[in-house]
Structures are given as structure tokens and as C-alpha cells.
Amino acid sequence: MNKIKYLLISFSLFTLHAQAQEADSLLKALDSGAVATTVDAAFKSTHVVLSHSSETQKKHDLDLRIRHHFGDIGGRFGSAHTLYGLDVASDLFIGLDYGVSDRFTVAVGRSKQDELYNFSGKYRLLRQKTNESMPINMTLFAQMGWVAREPLSDSEFAKYSDRFSYFFQSIISRKLSSRLSLQVMPALLIRRAPEDTRDPENLFSVGFAGRMKITKRLSFIADYTVVNGLSRPKDLTQAYYNPFGVGLEIETGGHIFSLNFMNSEYIVENNFIPNTKKSWSKGGVRFGFTISRNFTLFKSKNEDPDKKSKIY
Amino acid sequence: MVAFLLLNFSANAQNFLSKNLRIGLFSSTPLEDIRAVSDNGSAVLVAKSREIAVQLNVKTLEFDRKLMQEHFNENYIESDKYPYAKFKGVIDQPVDFSKDGDYAVTVTGVLSVHGVDKKRTIPGKVTISNGVVQISTEFKVACVDHDIKIPKLVFTKIAEFITIKAEGKLNPLK
């Protein structure tokens, strides 16, 4: 009798257990063909320190970006006489980036150095997927630079077209974890009549960048661009250095501030890639900052009442 | 008699499921109303045990403003770490899934959001018509219950209690 009772109890326990498992296993079976979503926000911003990131603007969002590079902290031009470079503005930049769509961003900007205007387009070709069907992000970037300043010598800008430069970059990134993202950026800069005639007009470069989140809103960012030794000879009379920047990036929902240190005097690719003349090892490092503010220009046309947001 | 028993058994042994439950969230403060919605919720109902399980890939929630959606995923719900929001529970009242009918029910179970489990009893409605089960519910979730921190800077824009709505049809699994 006891045996039967035991059997009965164990049987009922077994069925109870089977039931409890049922809903869960059914749900798992349902979800095996789950939607593949994109891995978003490899970077918080469209820029890392000096270079662009693979991120683009969201549709109809306008980003106002103000950037500042101060003077040398050390060396001949630094020290207490210039308050470690803070008296000097080696380059200032103001620019607007607008998201035509979630994939395509157009931008315009103006730098103090060379009175350089830049016009650019950025297209997000590939997006990393959660199910690894696409392991990387790939963004294509093209930028035209126009030097508006007066020529410094009679021979400079002999032809008006010498004022223009064209930059093409392919930005490949991967968000390795929610904290760490890495990026590599091969690029070509086409310019006319460089200062040193042995310096090639078609200048190749390869950039590397990374983002390491410290907290949800604070990240350590860095980028380094290899220019010397690729298409450029190593023994030019003017010493050029590879641009290297590190920074802290703070995101506060719509604003992004970054506090940076870099050797490059200049802000825009068409200038900092070919023309960085300062070195980290010779006091040529400087402080710089970026302020970025996003504005949503148009109200969304979506009519779904479950999706409508409203600011009072 | 035996035939009736068998019929009854087979009707009750039915499982129902859905892959396109509509699940939305709503945050309201005097400064800002925020809504997001997804049509990708999945749900399973085991008629015999009145067990119900609902799951949502939180990344499928769509916001009006994509930057807001990115902040939701990155800063609040942390969808990289906790991709799913889940609720698993048992309907407290008896429901006859073999006949058409309307039931106001409560479901007691565990709500899992942002990696934090919370025991909850949630009110809902179950409607059975022509063998299809329609479910709907509306309840509030306190951000603090699920370890979702709202910085002081945006405290006036994001509500402490978020309203969750879910509804959809569950079809019998054959």
C-alpha cells in the first residue's frame, strides 16, 4: 500500500514538474527564430577624439558641434608663459551634422586654421547584428575641404583648385561588449601641391580607435592614425607626426562633452592627417574639448498612438 | 461518457501561443510623455495548468525618437546585458478555455526586467472566442524595483512608475 502511495505521489510530482517546464520550453521554442536586432551605439557620438566613428546621426536629428584645440602644454610654446597652452587656440571648429536618414548624414563645418570649410557625407553601409549574421559596422565617409584664407606666398594656390582636398575613408567597427568597441579606418586623402614636393598628393592613412565605457555615461576614448611610412617618405625636411588623441567622453542625454588630449593642432581630417607637426614626446600635446548638442528638427509623422512621445 | 471525458481532456490539454503580442510602455511626467511599443512579444498559455509566460526582446521596442531609443537601451534597460523582459505566472481563477467566455483574472508570478526578478500579481482580461484566446493587461512597474536608475538630471522627464500594456491573440497550438 505504501509503495503504491509513493508511486502515486512521485508520479503526480513528475507531472507537476513537467507542467511547470512546459510554458518555459514552449517559449524557448517560440523564440528560437527570434528577430535579429542591430547592435547599436558602438560609440555614443559621431566622433571619437580626432577621427569620425562609425556612428551616424539619427533621422532628422541635427548635431551642433563645437570643438577647440588649445596650444602646446610643454616645449618652446608651452609652459606657464601660455598657461600650458590655454592662452593659445591652435584650432577652433564649429559644425552641423544632419541625419537625412538613419543611415545617411550630411555635414558642414568651418575651422579657424586655414579658414577651412568642410563638406561631408557619411553613409552607414553595414550594421552589426546580434545574431552575428553581420559581425561589423561599416560606414563610408567622404569629405571635401576648401581652404578660404589668403595665400601665404605668391606660389601658393597657383591654381584655385589647389585649395581643395578630398578625403575618403571606410570606417569599420565592432562593439565587442557593452563596454568595449574597436574601430579601424583606412583612408585616402587627395590634395594638391603639398608644402614638400616629395610629400605625395595621394596620402594613405590607417586609423585605429577605441571606446571603453567606465560607467554607463562616461567613457575613455582614443584614436591613433598611422600616416608616416605608408605612402609618405620618412625623410621629409619638415617632420610630421602621427595624430594620437585620448579623451574622456561624458554623455548626458542629448549632450556629449569630451575632454581630450592630443598632439594634433588641427581638427578636421583634411588638415590633421597630413599636417600634424607636434609630437607627444616633445611637449606638443595639447588640451581640447568637444561640445555636441543634438536637436530633433521635425516631429515624427508616426500616427501610432502607442508610440507617440510628447514634450510639454 | 468516455468520449466526453476524452474530449474534455483534449480541449483542456490545449496550448495557446502568440509571436506578435503588442507590448508597450508609457512614462508620464508633467514635462514629458514617452511611449514605446513592440509587436514582437511572444506568449505561451498552457490551458491545463493555467500557466502563462510572456517574453519580449526589449530591443524591439520602438520609440518616436531614435536617440531616445538608444538611450533607453544603453543607459536604462541595458539590453546588451539583459535582452529579455519576461513574465511567468499562473492564472489565479479557473478559466474554461474550451468554451467562449470573458474573464477578469489576476496572474501571480515572477516579472523579470533588467535582470531583476520581482514577484507580482497582475490584473488582466482573458477572452475566449472560437478557440482563440485574447489576453490584455495593464500594470505599473517601479524603476527602482528593477534597479533601473534615473539620474537627477532627467528626473523630471522620466516617470518613477512606468505603465506597461500588453495585448494580443493566442492561437491554439496544433
Tab-separated table of all heavy atoms in Angstrom, chain A residues 66-103:
chain	number	residue	atom	x	y	z
A	66	ILE	N	30.872	71.932	-31.346
A	66	ILE	CA	31.880	72.977	-31.161
A	66	ILE	C	33.130	72.314	-30.619
A	66	ILE	O	33.057	71.571	-29.632
A	66	ILE	CB	31.365	74.068	-30.206
A	66	ILE	CG1	30.181	74.796	-30.863
A	66	ILE	CG2	32.474	75.052	-29.855
A	66	ILE	CD1	29.315	75.548	-29.910
A	67	ARG	N	34.251	72.542	-31.297
A	67	ARG	CA	35.496	71.885	-30.884
A	67	ARG	C	36.602	72.920	-30.739
A	67	ARG	O	36.620	73.938	-31.420
A	67	ARG	CB	35.897	70.818	-31.907
A	67	ARG	CG	34.865	69.721	-32.015
A	67	ARG	CD	35.172	68.776	-33.147
A	67	ARG	NE	36.358	67.970	-32.868
A	67	ARG	CZ	36.829	67.061	-33.714
A	67	ARG	NH1	36.250	66.870	-34.874
A	67	ARG	NH2	37.897	66.359	-33.402
A	68	HIS	N	37.502	72.597	-29.867
A	68	HIS	CA	38.554	73.545	-29.519
A	68	HIS	C	39.843	72.776	-29.258
A	68	HIS	O	39.833	71.811	-28.509
A	68	HIS	CB	38.101	74.278	-28.240
A	68	HIS	CG	38.665	75.628	-28.099
A	68	HIS	ND1	37.883	76.751	-27.998
A	68	HIS	CD2	39.937	76.046	-28.034
A	68	HIS	CE1	38.668	77.815	-27.874
A	68	HIS	NE2	39.924	77.405	-27.896
A	69	HIS	N	40.918	73.180	-29.907
A	69	HIS	CA	42.240	72.642	-29.583
A	69	HIS	C	43.096	73.798	-29.071
A	69	HIS	O	43.251	74.798	-29.772
A	69	HIS	CB	42.917	72.036	-30.812
A	69	HIS	CG	42.361	70.706	-31.211
A	69	HIS	ND1	42.978	69.897	-32.116
A	69	HIS	CD2	41.241	70.048	-30.834
A	69	HIS	CE1	42.265	68.792	-32.281
A	69	HIS	NE2	41.195	68.875	-31.519
A	70	PHE	N	43.640	73.654	-27.861
A	70	PHE	CA	44.490	74.707	-27.312
A	70	PHE	C	45.923	74.528	-27.796
A	70	PHE	O	46.196	73.702	-28.673
A	70	PHE	CB	44.423	74.675	-25.782
A	70	PHE	CG	43.090	75.139	-25.249
A	70	PHE	CD1	42.102	74.229	-24.906
A	70	PHE	CD2	42.820	76.493	-25.097
A	70	PHE	CE1	40.876	74.652	-24.423
A	70	PHE	CE2	41.595	76.926	-24.615
A	70	PHE	CZ	40.620	76.002	-24.278
A	71	GLY	N	46.850	75.297	-27.198
A	71	GLY	CA	48.257	75.253	-27.633
A	71	GLY	C	49.052	74.192	-26.891
A	71	GLY	O	48.533	73.505	-26.004
A	72	ASP	N	50.339	74.099	-27.270
A	72	ASP	CA	51.239	73.113	-26.668
A	72	ASP	C	51.277	73.261	-25.144
A	72	ASP	O	51.399	74.375	-24.633
A	72	ASP	CB	52.677	73.306	-27.168
A	72	ASP	CG	52.797	73.108	-28.666
A	72	ASP	OD1	51.740	72.998	-29.321
A	72	ASP	OD2	53.934	73.088	-29.160
A	73	ILE	N	51.220	72.137	-24.455
A	73	ILE	CA	51.329	72.187	-22.994
A	73	ILE	C	52.784	72.415	-22.585
A	73	ILE	O	53.067	73.215	-21.703
A	73	ILE	CB	50.758	70.892	-22.375
A	73	ILE	CG1	49.233	70.907	-22.489
A	73	ILE	CG2	51.197	70.742	-20.908
A	73	ILE	CD1	48.536	69.650	-22.027
A	74	GLY	N	53.714	71.732	-23.265
A	74	GLY	CA	55.129	71.867	-22.919
A	74	GLY	C	55.922	72.417	-24.078
A	74	GLY	O	55.365	72.983	-25.031
A	75	GLY	N	57.230	72.277	-24.002
A	75	GLY	CA	58.113	72.687	-25.083
A	75	GLY	C	58.245	74.200	-25.176
A	75	GLY	O	57.877	74.941	-24.254
A	76	ARG	N	58.728	74.683	-26.314
A	76	ARG	CA	59.037	76.098	-26.514
A	76	ARG	C	57.787	76.982	-26.410
A	76	ARG	O	57.846	78.120	-25.958
A	76	ARG	CB	59.687	76.258	-27.895
A	76	ARG	CG	60.340	77.588	-28.157
A	76	ARG	CD	61.505	77.432	-29.144
A	76	ARG	NE	61.078	76.874	-30.425
A	76	ARG	CZ	60.668	77.647	-31.449
A	76	ARG	NH1	60.632	78.967	-31.346
A	76	ARG	NH2	60.297	77.087	-32.588
A	77	PHE	N	56.642	76.460	-26.876
A	77	PHE	CA	55.425	77.288	-26.933
A	77	PHE	C	54.492	77.063	-25.734
A	77	PHE	O	53.421	77.637	-25.679
A	77	PHE	CB	54.660	77.006	-28.221
A	77	PHE	CG	55.485	77.184	-29.453
A	77	PHE	CD1	55.997	76.099	-30.133
A	77	PHE	CD2	55.771	78.472	-29.912
A	77	PHE	CE1	56.773	76.266	-31.260
A	77	PHE	CE2	56.552	78.648	-31.034
A	77	PHE	CZ	57.069	77.542	-31.716
A	78	GLY	N	54.921	76.187	-24.830
A	78	GLY	CA	54.026	75.855	-23.726
A	78	GLY	C	54.456	76.478	-22.421
A	78	GLY	O	54.814	77.649	-22.374
A	79	SER	N	54.381	75.700	-21.375
A	79	SER	CA	54.769	76.083	-20.012
A	79	SER	C	53.898	77.210	-19.451
A	79	SER	O	52.921	77.612	-20.076
A	79	SER	CB	56.261	76.426	-19.930
A	79	SER	OG	56.469	77.749	-20.385
A	80	ALA	N	54.296	77.761	-18.309
A	80	ALA	CA	53.479	78.749	-17.597
A	80	ALA	C	53.266	80.024	-18.403
A	80	ALA	O	52.295	80.745	-18.176
A	80	ALA	CB	54.119	79.072	-16.255
A	81	HIS	N	54.165	80.330	-19.376
A	81	HIS	CA	54.027	81.576	-20.145
A	81	HIS	C	52.755	81.613	-20.963
A	81	HIS	O	52.235	82.687	-21.259
A	81	HIS	CB	55.253	81.770	-21.053
A	81	HIS	CG	56.497	82.028	-20.277
A	81	HIS	ND1	56.640	83.139	-19.472
A	81	HIS	CD2	57.643	81.304	-20.143
A	81	HIS	CE1	57.825	83.094	-18.879
A	81	HIS	NE2	58.456	81.979	-19.255
A	82	THR	N	52.247	80.460	-21.361
A	82	THR	CA	50.964	80.436	-22.095
A	82	THR	C	49.900	79.713	-21.269
A	82	THR	O	48.893	79.263	-21.810
A	82	THR	CB	51.106	79.697	-23.445
A	82	THR	OG1	51.512	78.337	-23.178
A	82	THR	CG2	52.132	80.355	-24.342
A	83	LEU	N	50.123	79.612	-19.960
A	83	LEU	CA	49.279	78.821	-19.065
A	83	LEU	C	49.074	77.423	-19.654
A	83	LEU	O	47.975	76.947	-19.833
A	83	LEU	CB	47.942	79.509	-18.790
A	83	LEU	CG	47.181	78.957	-17.578
A	83	LEU	CD1	47.983	79.128	-16.291
A	83	LEU	CD2	45.817	79.610	-17.439
A	84	TYR	N	50.185	76.819	-19.973
A	84	TYR	CA	50.212	75.453	-20.510
A	84	TYR	C	49.315	75.299	-21.753
A	84	TYR	O	48.591	74.339	-21.902
A	84	TYR	CB	49.879	74.438	-19.405
A	84	TYR	CG	50.843	74.594	-18.248
A	84	TYR	CD1	50.502	75.373	-17.154
A	84	TYR	CD2	52.117	74.043	-18.316
A	84	TYR	CE1	51.417	75.590	-16.133
A	84	TYR	CE2	53.033	74.259	-17.299
A	84	TYR	CZ	52.681	75.028	-16.210
A	84	TYR	OH	53.590	75.256	-15.226
A	85	GLY	N	49.414	76.317	-22.587
A	85	GLY	CA	48.725	76.232	-23.873
A	85	GLY	C	47.329	76.829	-23.876
A	85	GLY	O	46.743	77.036	-24.943
A	86	LEU	N	46.798	77.133	-22.707
A	86	LEU	CA	45.406	77.608	-22.659
A	86	LEU	C	45.249	79.019	-23.248
A	86	LEU	O	44.137	79.425	-23.586
A	86	LEU	CB	44.867	77.573	-21.226
A	86	LEU	CG	44.697	76.178	-20.608
A	86	LEU	CD1	44.080	76.279	-19.227
A	86	LEU	CD2	43.825	75.286	-21.489
A	87	ASP	N	46.371	79.766	-23.369
A	87	ASP	CA	46.294	81.094	-23.998
A	87	ASP	C	46.141	81.001	-25.510
A	87	ASP	O	45.799	81.974	-26.162
A	87	ASP	CB	47.593	81.875	-23.718
A	87	ASP	CG	47.644	82.404	-22.300
A	87	ASP	OD1	46.584	82.386	-21.645
A	87	ASP	OD2	48.722	82.828	-21.863
A	88	VAL	N	46.451	79.833	-26.041
A	88	VAL	CA	46.543	79.687	-27.496
A	88	VAL	C	45.368	78.848	-27.993
A	88	VAL	O	45.004	77.859	-27.380
A	88	VAL	CB	47.867	78.971	-27.865
A	88	VAL	CG1	48.034	78.906	-29.372
A	88	VAL	CG2	49.047	79.656	-27.203
A	89	ALA	N	44.800	79.269	-29.111
A	89	ALA	CA	43.794	78.431	-29.764
A	89	ALA	C	44.389	77.969	-31.077
A	89	ALA	O	44.401	78.719	-32.038
A	89	ALA	CB	42.514	79.214	-29.993
A	90	SER	N	44.947	76.747	-31.086
A	90	SER	CA	45.589	76.318	-32.335
A	90	SER	C	44.538	76.011	-33.388
A	90	SER	O	44.786	76.169	-34.566
A	90	SER	CB	46.530	75.141	-32.093
A	90	SER	OG	45.821	74.035	-31.622
A	91	ASP	N	43.361	75.581	-32.992
A	91	ASP	CA	42.271	75.439	-33.958
A	91	ASP	C	40.927	75.496	-33.239
A	91	ASP	O	40.798	75.015	-32.109
A	91	ASP	CB	42.389	74.120	-34.732
A	91	ASP	CG	41.680	74.178	-36.088
A	91	ASP	OD1	41.081	75.233	-36.400
A	91	ASP	OD2	41.750	73.185	-36.838
A	92	LEU	N	39.966	76.119	-33.899
A	92	LEU	CA	38.583	76.169	-33.408
A	92	LEU	C	37.693	75.640	-34.516
A	92	LEU	O	37.985	75.816	-35.692
A	92	LEU	CB	38.158	77.610	-33.110
A	92	LEU	CG	39.053	78.455	-32.223
A	92	LEU	CD1	38.557	79.888	-32.217
A	92	LEU	CD2	39.044	77.891	-30.829
A	93	PHE	N	36.597	75.002	-34.126
A	93	PHE	CA	35.734	74.407	-35.140
A	93	PHE	C	34.286	74.534	-34.705
A	93	PHE	O	33.943	74.356	-33.538
A	93	PHE	CB	36.097	72.928	-35.318
A	93	PHE	CG	35.168	72.164	-36.215
A	93	PHE	CD1	35.383	72.134	-37.592
A	93	PHE	CD2	34.089	71.466	-35.700
A	93	PHE	CE1	34.533	71.429	-38.430
A	93	PHE	CE2	33.235	70.754	-36.529
A	93	PHE	CZ	33.465	70.735	-37.902
A	94	ILE	N	33.447	74.856	-35.678
A	94	ILE	CA	32.010	74.792	-35.432
A	94	ILE	C	31.378	74.067	-36.618
A	94	ILE	O	31.762	74.316	-37.759
A	94	ILE	CB	31.421	76.207	-35.184
A	94	ILE	CG1	29.932	76.122	-34.878
A	94	ILE	CG2	31.680	77.157	-36.339
A	94	ILE	CD1	29.410	77.362	-34.194
A	95	GLY	N	30.497	73.146	-36.330
A	95	GLY	CA	29.947	72.361	-37.433
A	95	GLY	C	28.548	71.854	-37.143
A	95	GLY	O	28.101	71.802	-35.992
A	96	LEU	N	27.847	71.511	-38.220
A	96	LEU	CA	26.497	70.955	-38.121
A	96	LEU	C	26.455	69.632	-38.858
A	96	LEU	O	26.929	69.539	-39.998
A	96	LEU	CB	25.484	71.912	-38.752
A	96	LEU	CG	25.281	73.256	-38.055
A	96	LEU	CD1	24.484	74.200	-38.947
A	96	LEU	CD2	24.567	73.059	-36.721
A	97	ASP	N	25.917	68.606	-38.204
A	97	ASP	CA	25.727	67.290	-38.822
A	97	ASP	C	24.235	67.005	-38.830
A	97	ASP	O	23.595	67.076	-37.780
A	97	ASP	CB	26.400	66.186	-37.996
A	97	ASP	CG	27.911	66.225	-38.078
A	97	ASP	OD1	28.459	67.352	-38.055
A	97	ASP	OD2	28.539	65.162	-38.128
A	98	TYR	N	23.707	66.658	-39.981
A	98	TYR	CA	22.271	66.429	-40.066
A	98	TYR	C	21.974	65.040	-40.625
A	98	TYR	O	22.546	64.631	-41.636
A	98	TYR	CB	21.631	67.501	-40.958
A	98	TYR	CG	20.152	67.292	-41.168
A	98	TYR	CD1	19.261	67.465	-40.111
A	98	TYR	CD2	19.645	66.895	-42.402
A	98	TYR	CE1	17.915	67.248	-40.277
A	98	TYR	CE2	18.289	66.684	-42.584
A	98	TYR	CZ	17.429	66.866	-41.519
A	98	TYR	OH	16.091	66.649	-41.688
A	99	GLY	N	21.084	64.336	-39.969
A	99	GLY	CA	20.706	62.993	-40.409
A	99	GLY	C	19.586	63.057	-41.428
A	99	GLY	O	18.436	63.326	-41.074
A	100	VAL	N	19.913	62.851	-42.702
A	100	VAL	CA	18.893	62.808	-43.755
A	100	VAL	C	18.031	61.572	-43.533
A	100	VAL	O	16.817	61.607	-43.637
A	100	VAL	CB	19.561	62.772	-45.151
A	100	VAL	CG1	18.525	62.653	-46.255
A	100	VAL	CG2	20.414	64.010	-45.356
A	101	SER	N	18.697	60.468	-43.205
A	101	SER	CA	18.002	59.246	-42.800
A	101	SER	C	18.826	58.644	-41.667
A	101	SER	O	19.852	59.199	-41.290
A	101	SER	CB	17.885	58.278	-43.978
A	101	SER	OG	19.141	57.699	-44.236
A	102	ASP	N	18.371	57.504	-41.145
A	102	ASP	CA	19.155	56.866	-40.088
A	102	ASP	C	20.512	56.386	-40.600
A	102	ASP	O	21.415	56.111	-39.823
A	102	ASP	CB	18.386	55.682	-39.493
A	102	ASP	CG	17.307	56.157	-38.521
A	102	ASP	OD1	17.443	57.274	-37.992
A	102	ASP	OD2	16.347	55.404	-38.306
A	103	ARG	N	20.641	56.256	-41.920
A	103	ARG	CA	21.895	55.772	-42.484
A	103	ARG	C	22.766	56.858	-43.097
A	103	ARG	O	23.959	56.668	-43.286
A	103	ARG	CB	21.610	54.723	-43.565
A	103	ARG	CG	21.234	53.373	-43.028
A	103	ARG	CD	20.998	52.412	-44.167
A	103	ARG	NE	20.564	51.118	-43.677
A	103	ARG	CZ	21.390	50.106	-43.431
A	103	ARG	NH1	22.680	50.248	-43.622
A	103	ARG	NH2	20.912	48.968	-42.994
